[in-house]
Amino acid sequence: MRKRVLVAASERHIARLVQVNLERQGYEVELAFDSDSFWEKITAFRPDLVVLDMGMPNSEQLKAKLKTTEATKSLPVITLEHRFSPQDFWFGNLRLPKPPSTAELMKMVVDRLGEERLPEQPVLKSPRLSLFAIFLLVVLLMLAFLALIMFART
């Protein structure tokens, strides 16, 4: 039987990125974009794992309710967040940056579901700029600024 994952995110492109990569690995995935559909999917879909975007409205309350409700308190939750605290690493919280690296996401999903398999190559990569690309962008902006100054003087 395929493992089920519920992805809850208010940003559809993030949810879709996670969904495509999980489905490619053989997981059954449902999406929720608000707290109402989240609880409907929790009861109807009965996931084995939840990926929760902490930028979604009421996400802290959703996470707290998951951990205090008898039927869902043992359900593993992976959170996607923009910021981290040092305690996250010391206490082993399952948090990923947003947008998530697909390799990190897949490793965490496999670990949390207690599976022995290694994930395949991801279909989509999250959009991240390399340091070199950022450097080139800064250099180009500086050149454009200098050209504007030279043009203004003439």
Side-chain angles (χ1 to χ4, degrees):
M1 185 170 157
R2 290 173 34 180
K3 297 280 185 169
R4 297 170 174 220
V5 179
L6 175 61
V7 178
S10 57
E11 298 175 73
R12 292 180 186 269
H13 65 283
I14 299 275
R16 185 74 178 121
L17 174 74
V18 172
Q19 179 187 28
V20 168
N21 283 291
L22 289 173
E23 285 178 345
R24 182 164 190 275
Q25 304 302 324
Y27 295 100
E28 189 175 342
V29 181
E30 284 285 327
L31 302 177
F33 301 109
D34 57 45
S35 56
D36 293 334
S37 65
F38 178 80
W39 287 111
E40 289 171 11
K41 303 253 171 133
I42 284 286
T43 55
F45 183 59
R46 297 184 20 209
D48 299 300
L49 173 83
V50 172
V51 177
L52 178 61
D53 175 9
M54 296 307 286
M56 192 167 96
N58 302 322
S59 58
E60 288 292 338
Q61 291 88 348
L62 293 176
K63 186 177 175 188
K65 188 173 177 183
L66 276 173
K67 294 302 174 191
T68 57
T69 303
E70 189 63 36
T72 59
K73 70 180 179 182
S74 63
L75 184 63
V77 178
I78 298 173
T79 59
L80 304 177
E81 301 193 33
H82 282 295
R83 59 184 177 265
F84 296 92
S85 68
Q87 294 87 0
D88 294 333
F89 299 103
W90 288 105
F91 297 115
N93 291 336
L94 298 172
R95 296 181 180 188
L96 285 172
K98 192 171 103 178
S101 155
T102 49
E104 291 171 343
L105 173 67
M106 293 313 304
K107 181 183 181 318
M108 200 172 278
V109 167
V110 168
D111 288 346
R112 289 303 287 166
L113 290 175
E115 298 181 314
E116 298 291 325
R117 67 187 176 139
L118 293 174
E120 299 171 14
Q121 292 296 325
V123 171
L124 299 175
K125 293 188 178 183
S126 57
R128 293 192 178 173
L129 292 177
S130 67
L131 289 176
F132 183 70
I134 293 170
F135 173 76
L136 284 177
L137 182 62
V138 169
V139 168
L140 287 173
L141 287 172
M142 288 174 59
L143 287 172
F145 182 71
L146 287 173
L148 281 173
I149 290 173
M150 297 294 280
F151 182 74
R153 287 187 179 180
T154 59

